[in-house]
């Protein structure tokens, strides 16, 4: 009888322990790593800190608008710091946001490879970090980035439609190897060309990321493969520079860009650039905060997740409509007037 | 002592006061202003600690530049030097560990400083031209060596140097303090300090009085390399990477700004290490305050420029006040 009593008491104790842990588990949620806490917060208590590459360029202005609008929509407080295109400032900003005890950090890093220690510090402080575009390093929760591979495919499909003859060859002005994510644009372009039976005859890396750099690179591509019918440049300014080279030579080749900068829009309007693949920085910024909301408010867990943002092809046919959509969402008048600024990508 | 007091006119006293405390007053005004404006964000120990920590990036590199400008020379290759030394050290660290990486970074920067010094003294190429050339060469070598790929620093020792702390104070602050103590002793307690001031005042007269001007100049450029090496180690640690294109980008301007803001005369012959240190802090305190206060980045540049002009004007005013009675 005593034996049964001992077994019963032991079983009750075990059960009590299990119930206690279960209740505790329910209370604290299913937290995994630091900074991915499932302990939820009220929206009114959430402050989002945003560290932006620079506010000098339209692309990042629109991205910041997306972050700000999302914070407003979700009822979060918002604080922004400008890295001013300086990697050391980027790390300092991240530390500042950790010191400010913000609830979550969105970062558009000027040098994604150099953010790992700062991200680790934020995560150690229990602050989730989401990167909005460019890239990531360290234990970030998520990276919201354009579907660059798909963007490259769209450019190839566009050129393929213009030139149904499969013997047509194309050129590619690509980014430097360090831009891991942005380089996927070129990979997508090559893969789609291959799939459709076209050849990328000349691929040259743009050494000087500017319109001048694009102009020079197009010249080199034409020297290497004068019979190409079109070229894809994986960044905006460079594409406009490349298209201007073709124009200066009275060439027939069609150039497709990538980014959707205001001057690309103007170049399409003027018939210099054939098309561009539009990134949606506003959507990227908005999605970054949405992801933080899911982590902080809804208790969802994210760990090193990549979330693609859709891209779309802009041609002379849909140019006006797309420009209107951008202006409606961002209020950025650069798309309705001659461009004065551009992005660095 | 009394005789000296009697000899000072009110203008001279005001001039001396301005020289001693002008920049400190600017620093306190900036700190006080932002502490009142955004107390919860700015007037906190973690923020203060990090502002001083990040001052070390410019503050340490500015030590060598202070010596250099005191001799009436410039070195505008420091940013590229930092990048080249950083990528060399980081690549070694990947294979041989962080301690070797740190040693290589320091050694490489020192060697690059020696090369600059030899070009300036032995080939008689003006420092501005030499270091302008090296500005391009060092950066290009960093690109070539790495094939334009960032070198990641994951070694725990190296990462600890820039991010660790002792007794609640970050290690870079101790390292910066140590660098300034050593530099102060060299400048004020060793003949070296007198020599560089003499060279900056009148290089020819210094040579005639028996100072080996070339050797001192080589030593000055070498010291720039040594301190840039320390900065490269700390910067690499804080970033966790050495990027050949981005590391040290614009560093030369930040360093020269700190030295000039600190009261070192561009013409050489006078200067202050304390002024350089406080100036490095002024730049970071101001930038952090404005960023936290959500000041537009263009206005931040305007404000930084204004502070530079005000500080240099105060320095001029100091000399005018002292000079009036001389």
């Amino acid at each position: 009888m005593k034996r049964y009593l001992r077994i019963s008491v032991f079983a009750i104790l075990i059960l009590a322990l299990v119930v206690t842990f279960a209740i505790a588990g329910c209370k604290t949620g299913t937290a995994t790593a630091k900074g991915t806490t499932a302990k939820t917060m009220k929206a009114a208590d959430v402050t989002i800190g945003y560290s932006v590459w620079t506010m000098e360029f339209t692309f990042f202005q629109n991205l910041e608008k997306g972050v700000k609008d999302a914070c407003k929509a979700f009822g979060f407080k918002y604080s922004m710091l400008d890295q001013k295109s300086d990697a050391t400032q980027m790390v300092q900003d991240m530390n500042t946001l950790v010191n400010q005890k913000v609830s979550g950090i969105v970062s558009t890093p000027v040098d994604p490879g150099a953010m790992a220690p700062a991200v680790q510090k934020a995560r150690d402080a229990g602050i989730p970090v989401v990167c909005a575009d460019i890239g990531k390093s360290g234990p970030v929760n998520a990276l919201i980035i354009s579907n660059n591979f798909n963007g490259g495919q769209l450019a190839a499909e566009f050129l393929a439609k213009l030139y149904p003859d499969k013997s047509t060859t194309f050129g590619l002005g690509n980014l430097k190897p360090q831009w891991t994510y942005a380089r996927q644009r070129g990979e997508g372009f090559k893969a789609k060309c291959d799939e459709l039976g076209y050849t990328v005859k000349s691929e040259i890396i743009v050494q000087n990321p500017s319109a001048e750099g694009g102009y020079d690179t197009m010249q080199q591509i034409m020297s290497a493969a004068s019979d190409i019918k079109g070229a894809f440049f994986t960044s905006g300014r460079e594409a406009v520079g490349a298209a201007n080279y073709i124009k200066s030579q009275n060439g027939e080749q069609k150039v497709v860009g990538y980014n959707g900068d205001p001057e690309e829009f103007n170049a399409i309007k003027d018939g210099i650039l054939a098309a561009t693949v539009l990134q949606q920085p506003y959507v990227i910024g908005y999605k970054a905060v949405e992801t933080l909301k899911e982590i902080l408010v809804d208790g969802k867990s994210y760990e090193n997740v990549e979330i693609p943002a859709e891209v779309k092809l802009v041609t002379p046919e849909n140019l006006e409509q797309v420009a209107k959509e951008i202006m409606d969402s961002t209020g950025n008048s650069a798309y309705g007037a001659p461009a004065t600024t551009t992005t660095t990508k | 002592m009394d005789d000296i007091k009697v000899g000072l006119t009110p203008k001279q006293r005001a001039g001396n006061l301005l020289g001693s405390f002008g920049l400190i007053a600017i620093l306190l005004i900036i700190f006080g202003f932002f502490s009142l404006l955004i107390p919860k964000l700015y007037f906190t120990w973690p923020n203060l600690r990090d502002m001083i920590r990040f001052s070390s990036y410019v503050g340490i590199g500015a030590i060598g530049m202070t010596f250099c400008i005191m001799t009436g020379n410039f070195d505008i290759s420091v940013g590229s030097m930092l990048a080249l030394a950083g990528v060399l050290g980081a690549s070694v660290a990947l294979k041989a560990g962080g301690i070797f990486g740190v040693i290589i970074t320091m050694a490489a920067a020192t060697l690059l400083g020696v090369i600059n010094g030899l070009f300036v003294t032995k080939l008689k190429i003006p420092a501005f031209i030499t270091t302008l050339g090296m500005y391009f060469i060092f950066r290009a070598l960093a690109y070539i060596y790495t094939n334009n790929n960032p070198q990641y620093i994951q070694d725990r020792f190296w990462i600890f140097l820039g991010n660790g702390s002792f007794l609640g104070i970050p290690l870079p602050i101790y390292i910066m303090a140590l660098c300034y103590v050593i530099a102060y002793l060299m400048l004020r307690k060793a003949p070296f300090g007198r020599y560089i001031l003499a060279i900056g005042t009148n290089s020819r007269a210094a040579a005639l009085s028996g100072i080996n001007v070339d050797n001192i100049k080589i030593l000055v450029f070498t010291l720039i390399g040594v301190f840039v090496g320390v900065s490269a180690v700390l910067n690499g640690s804080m970033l966790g990477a050495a990027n050949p294109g981005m590391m040290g980008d614009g560093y030369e301007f930040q360093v020269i700004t700190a030295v000039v803001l600190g009261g070192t005369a561009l013409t050489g012959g006078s200067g202050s290490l304390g002024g350089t240190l406080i100036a490095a802090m002024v730049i970071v305190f101001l930038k952090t305050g404005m960023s936290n206060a959500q000041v537009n980045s263009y206005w931040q540049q305007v404000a930084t420029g204004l502070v530079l002009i005000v500080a240099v004007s105060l320095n001029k005013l100091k000399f005018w006040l002292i000079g009036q009675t001389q």
Side-chain angles (χ1 to χ4, degrees), chain A residues 311-344:
Chain A
V311 291
K312 61 168 93 167
L313 191 73
V314 181
T315 61
E317 288 72 39
N318 67 356
L319 183 79
E320 295 297 331
Q321 175 61 28
V322 175
K324 188 178 175 303
E325 283 169 15
I326 296 173
M327 279 195 289
D328 287 347
S329 63
T330 65
N332 198 322
S333 61
Y335 288 86
T340 52
T341 54
T342 183
T343 77
T344 57

Side-chain angles (χ1 to χ4, degrees), chain A residues 53-57 61 78-82 84-93 95-96 99-101 110-118 121 137 176-180 207 341, chain B residues 40-41 44 46-47 49-51 53-54 57 143 147-150 152-153 159 162-163 235-241 243-244 246-247 249 254 284 287-288 291-292 294 297-298 300-301:
Chain A
W53 173 325
T54 174
M55 283 298 281
E56 284 180 26
F57 302 125
Q61 289 164 4
Y78 170 70
S79 165
M80 189 271 285
L81 296 175
D82 187 345
K84 301 180 193 74
S85 306
D86 178 357
T88 307
Q89 187 66 45
M90 171 188 81
V91 173
Q92 192 182 343
D93 285 353
N95 278 271
T96 302
N99 291 338
Q100 287 179 8
K101 296 187 172 69
V110 59
D111 184 358
M115 67 187 305
K121 201 169 272 186
S137 67
K176 292 176 181 173
Q178 70 199 68
W179 299 107
T180 318
Q207 294 298 334
T341 54
Chain B
K40 282 182 186 169
L41 299 181
T44 64
N47 186 51
R49 183 191 61 201
D50 269 2
M51 284 195 295
R53 180 162 85 97
F54 281 98
Y57 171 57
Y143 278 123
N147 198 20
N148 202 6
N149 288 316
Y152 295 105
I153 299 166
I159 292 290
N163 298 285
N235 192 237
S237 172
M238 287 175 193
L239 302 179
N243 186 323
M246 290 186 179
M247 197 178 192
D249 187 26
Q254 296 177 45
V284 174
K287 265 191 344 188
T288 308
S291 286
N292 283 355
Q294 308 285 297
S297 59
Y298 299 119
Q300 289 189 29
Q301 290 175 33

